[in-house]
Amino acid sequence: WSSDVCSSDLLAQTKLSVGDKQFEEIFDWVKVHTDWLTLDVDGIGRGITAGIPEYVWWFGCDSCYALQGMMLQGNFEICKETMQIILKYSREMNGNGKIIHELLPNGVYPNLGNCQETAHFINLLWEYYEWTGDKSILEEAFDYITMGIDWLLAQDDDNDCFPTGYGIIEIAGLNMEMIDTAVYTATAFSCYVKIAQAIGKEVDAAKWTAQGEKCVRAINDCLWAEDEHSYCDCYASAEKIMEKKDMILEQIEEAGDEAVREKFEATLAARMEEPKREHGWLLNRNWVINTPMEVGIAPEEQAKKALKRLHTPEFIGTYGMYLEGMRHNQMMTISTGVMAVAQARYGYVNRALELIERMFTSFGKATPGSISEMSPDYGCFTQAWTAYGVCTPVVRYFFGIWPDPVKNEIHVHPNLPEKWEHASLEHVRVLDGEISVYVENGSVRVENHTSATVCVKQ
């Protein structure tokens, strides 16, 4: 294990005060987990691992979430080092732009990468630059992500904007055109253009911008189910779904929902009249149907409908969001966290806070000072991506901090939950310094210790 940060430094950065001591203390403990999860291996490097004790190694998917939260804690260096490990071993193991799924401390790589991880990593690079202003990792990664953009395009074998392959949901048979892959790919095209422009690289910006916009339109047209007020899990032909029918019915039977079974069979039978035509399918109602709202590509009206449905007992239990709306048997900090980000992005900050508070009710149940990966008390007793679901809603949305390194500006537009009548977030490391934000009675005050111009919206 390796750490070069003392606990007092960790707790002083991104210091939250909201008048709720228990919330503040748990928020601090999430920062301490960064220290717990740091691993330094000779010959590989130092970075944030996924979880203790089962997954003390590096993951592409987990890091793409976790590092977004950890950079908001001020942990720039360990975020960069973790990205460098993922980049280095993706080059060595794949070499074609694809990002690895996992790397063990002994150098073994059981999974060379799921489809969404390549897009997600490109998005992470841009967010890291936005927050830190550090171009060096963009320059280091640019040649590889250029191959990655081409690799993603190649996975879209039928040119419908939806790459084929496993996404985040690691369930056998879901190696289809999944919504999370589609969403992160759509944003990756625009992030790739912005990365190139930031470091002065020549790319066909118009082509990739248009491709990203085309993907966004496809998601909102083809993966939106108006009758369900929801985005779909996947996009597939009836023929493809028929091949997986037994697996899908088995999962529906486990949930014991006869109405869902009847609707699925009726829909499949009707669509088999044109077996090769593709449709959006709302199968398990997996938590990744939040992703269009998480990244902000859902139109306001669709987002309003989807987020309202998602904030119901169909999807939410005692400790947060179920992994799927069909079977209420599991929930994780990542499902709850992504939904909290989605709700907060569209202004539903009270719902977002409620989700974080639900997550916090599992604090200390498995190990003192920690929130388990699987709620309430199993799986890894500490999980890296919890930082995303906690820090991103608080820092980016409740306090509304959005840096723009290109213009050397920091925009601050707080939107506090009703419970927080006054709040402060002090010593937030951003760009080349730090800021502190104080909000009371609708008034916003910012202490700026950076070279950037702070633009405050009261």
Side-chain angles (χ1 to χ4, degrees), residues 50-94:
I52 305 171
E54 283 93 344
Y55 295 108
V56 190
W57 59 84
W58 299 280
F59 285 80
C61 173
D62 298 54
S63 297
C64 287
Y65 286 116
L67 300 184
Q68 290 183 67
M70 289 176 179
M71 67 188 181
L72 304 183
Q73 299 170 354
N75 296 303
F76 295 178
E77 292 76 19
I78 195 66
C79 289
K80 183 175 181 179
E81 290 174 284
T82 308
M83 288 188 288
Q84 288 173 320
I85 289 175
I86 294 169
L87 179 62
K88 175 184 176 182
Y89 284 89
S90 294
R91 290 186 195 273
E92 292 186 10
M93 298 173 188
N94 292 322

Side-chain angles (χ1 to χ4, degrees), residues 174 176 179 222-236 241 248 252 260-261 263-264 267 271 279-290 309-310 314-315 324-326:
L174 292 185
M176 297 188 289
I179 188 167
C222 301
L223 285 172
W224 173 252
E226 176 62 30
D227 61 327
E228 297 276 7
H229 285 188
S230 176
Y231 283 91
C232 299
D233 295 295
C234 63
Y235 194 66
I241 296 297
I248 295 167
I252 293 174
V260 170
R261 184 190 67 78
K263 183 171 184 177
F264 167 71
T267 300
R271 291 178 175 180
H279 304 267
W281 298 83
L282 190 61
L283 300 175
N284 301 69
R285 289 170 271 166
N286 287 301
W287 61 272
V288 290
I289 59 177
N290 275 292
R309 179 180 177 183
L310 286 163
E314 179 185 5
F315 291 97
E324 56 182 66
M326 188 171 67

Side-chain angles (χ1 to χ4, degrees), residues 131-174:
W131 200 262
T132 67
D134 179 6
K135 294 182 181 180
S136 63
I137 188 68
L138 306 185
E139 293 164 342
E140 182 178 344
F142 187 74
D143 65 326
Y144 198 72
I145 66 170
T146 297
M147 288 190 287
I149 284 289
D150 289 331
W151 182 85
L152 283 168
L153 210 56
Q155 307 318 300
D156 181 13
D157 50 12
D158 57 359
N159 197 33
D160 62 2
C161 293
F162 305 141
T164 300
Y166 281 106
I168 299 166
I169 306 301
E170 296 176 316
I171 296 176
L174 292 185

Side-chain angles (χ1 to χ4, degrees), residues 75-135:
N75 296 303
F76 295 178
E77 292 76 19
I78 195 66
C79 289
K80 183 175 181 179
E81 290 174 284
T82 308
M83 288 188 288
Q84 288 173 320
I85 289 175
I86 294 169
L87 179 62
K88 175 184 176 182
Y89 284 89
S90 294
R91 290 186 195 273
E92 292 186 10
M93 298 173 188
N94 292 322
N96 59 355
K98 184 179 180 181
I99 294 297
I100 58 169
H101 179 65
E102 58 188 320
L103 169 70
L104 276 62
N106 61 2
V108 172
Y109 37 96
N111 183 337
L112 291 176
N114 296 327
C115 199
Q116 102 288 345
E117 285 164 304
T118 298
H120 212 173
F121 187 76
I122 295 169
N123 297 334
L124 170 65
L125 285 170
W126 175 252
E127 290 212 16
Y128 176 80
Y129 168 65
E130 271 193 317
W131 200 262
T132 67
D134 179 6
K135 294 182 181 180

Side-chain angles (χ1 to χ4, degrees), residues 320-375:
M321 185 179 184
Y322 299 113
L323 292 185
E324 56 182 66
M326 188 171 67
R327 292 181 293 183
H328 293 175
N329 60 345
Q330 292 180 324
M331 57 187 71
M332 300 174 77
T333 58
I334 192 59
S335 56
T336 305
V338 167
M339 185 175 176
V341 171
Q343 295 283 2
R345 180 181 277 270
Y346 283 83
Y348 301 108
V349 291
N350 294 325
R351 296 177 188 171
L353 178 59
E354 179 195 326
L355 287 161
I356 299 171
E357 289 174 336
R358 286 178 183 271
M359 192 193 310
F360 280 5
T361 59
S362 66
F363 179 74
K365 287 188 178 293
T367 297
S370 192
I371 300 170
S372 296
E373 168 196 18
M374 303 290 296
S375 303

